[in-house]
Amino acid sequence: MAREVSESCMDSLLTEIVSSYCNVLYATKPELAARRIEAIGYQVGHQLSERYTMERPRFSDHLEAIKFICKDFWSELFKKQIDNLKTNHRGTFVLQDDKFAWLSRMSGEPSTETRGSAPEAGNKAAETTGMHLYFPCGIIRGALSNLGIPCAVSADISNLPACSFVIRIKV
Amino acid sequence: MAPAVPRSGDAIFANVERVNAELFTLTYGAIVRQLLTDLEEVEEVNKQLDQMGYNIGIRLIDEFLAKSNVTRCVDFRETAEVIAKVGFKMFLGVTASVSNWDTEGTCCSLILEDNPLVDFVELPDTCQGLYYCNILSGVVRGALEMVSMKTEVTWVRDMLRGDDAFELQVKLLKQVPEEYPYKDDE
């Protein structure tokens, strides 16, 4: 059986990546902090996809590779598959996870809307959530890049607790 | 209500939500790598990893106490055993052994022969002086501080530096007595 660690270990690391880069190392430069967090994810995605594809034949097209991310890759990471995949058939793919693990366990519950009461706190929470998403976006970009597919990845959480990852393949 | 019975590390680990250790290990590796790029000085990376560990430790202690049902340790010896057998196991899935006690019973070593943080890791020569697993020493220090024990935690042996095990020396500096407004059995 594959080795496992407690989920708290992974959650703790994620929290610390975001807080170290946003509050300590690049406290006044959120764009730089975001880029570093994404870079850490990229590295992880690149290495994981290398490991998980070692014994497979090459993917015949982009869709095959994206399906691999939705099914096998996602299952290794989150013990579930991506719930919904959409594409415009012109290089853009939207992967929706109906209950994205790394958001559902975040402290600072992102879905608590602040209706007029404390917009400051609301903005801060949204910002922190956004920072947390650079890591999984980086993972996806790294994984696809390792499969020879350069792309840009962003996240959309307008539909919480669902989270959509938008992949734009560079042509 | 009868007091809850302390649970073994194995029992807790079997029941907590778990994730693929590869993801955890590679994420930690990527953090260290990015910190080396951004901070340049190895000493600064050691410090940052220790600080991250400390922040994690002061939070994880709550989960540890809630899930383990451990009762108050009678002395530091018992504390060390609990960290090694229950603490390490419930989070990392491995147990440590405790040895090298000093005569006063205030300094000992936690020895890890299996450490999920270092799977697939090899340090290049440019990383001399890096305590790769420094996050762990921070976690232990942070967690103990939350239960009123000031400690100093240092690496004595490190497999990435060619030693045969990971040895973390934990030295109790000061025990801050806690004042409770109630008695344990009330």
Side-chain angles (χ1 to χ4, degrees), chain B residues 45-63:
Chain B
V45 177
N46 287 339
K47 263 193 233 161
Q48 185 60 34
L49 291 173
D50 178 73
Q51 183 61 46
M52 292 168 87
Y54 178 84
N55 298 344
I56 292 173
I58 61 178
R59 289 193 304 265
L60 281 192
I61 185 75
D62 287 332
E63 184 181 344

Side-chain angles (χ1 to χ4, degrees), chain A:
Chain A
M1 205 186 79
R3 194 204 270 253
E4 291 183 316
V5 296
S6 113
E7 195 172 60
S8 316
C9 292
M10 191 61 208
D11 291 349
S12 299
L13 277 190
L14 268 179
T15 307
E16 282 308 309
I17 294 174
V18 172
S19 102
S20 295
Y21 274 93
C22 297
N23 305 333
V24 182
L25 302 172
Y26 294 101
T28 56
K29 298 175 184 142
E31 338 62 60
L32 273 187
R35 217 180 298 166
R36 296 300 186 272
I37 296 167
E38 205 266 354
I40 294 172
Y42 179 91
Q43 172 80 24
V44 174
H46 202 272
Q47 283 176 306
L48 284 176
S49 116
E50 177 77 35
R51 301 181 73 80
Y52 297 155
T53 53
M54 267 188 299
E55 323 238 301
R56 307 177 156 258
R58 288 180 69 91
F59 296 109
S60 51
D61 59 16
H62 289 164
L63 184 61
E64 286 301 308
I66 298 273
K67 279 186 184 162
F68 160 77
I69 299 289
C70 293
K71 292 181 178 171
D72 308 62
F73 191 80
W74 217 252
S75 302
E76 292 279 0
L77 267 54
F78 302 110
K79 298 183 177 164
K80 73 181 282 283
Q81 300 186 0
I82 282 285
D83 298 293
N84 191 330
L85 167 64
K86 285 183 206 147
T87 176
N88 65 356
H89 299 287
R90 279 177 294 157
T92 299
F93 296 85
V94 180
L95 282 58
Q96 179 171 309
D97 186 331
D98 290 341
K99 195 172 183 305
F100 184 50
W102 291 345
L103 283 182
S104 60
R105 284 192 310 274
M106 258 185 61
S107 47
E109 192 41 43
S111 57
T112 43
E113 297 285 344
T114 47
R115 296 213 164 76
S117 53
E120 280 293 302
N123 285 343
K124 188 75 194 155
E127 214 176 282
T128 313
T129 306
M131 282 295 176
H132 274 81
L133 290 169
Y134 283 105
F135 182 72
C137 286
I139 289 186
I140 296 173
R141 192 171 70 84
L144 285 170
S145 142
N146 180 60
L147 302 175
I149 305 174
C151 59
V153 181
S154 58
D156 173 12
I157 47 165
S158 51
N159 204 5
L160 283 166
C163 179
S164 296
F165 295 95
V166 182
I167 302 170
R168 292 186 182 82
I169 294 175
K170 292 179 179 158
V171 281

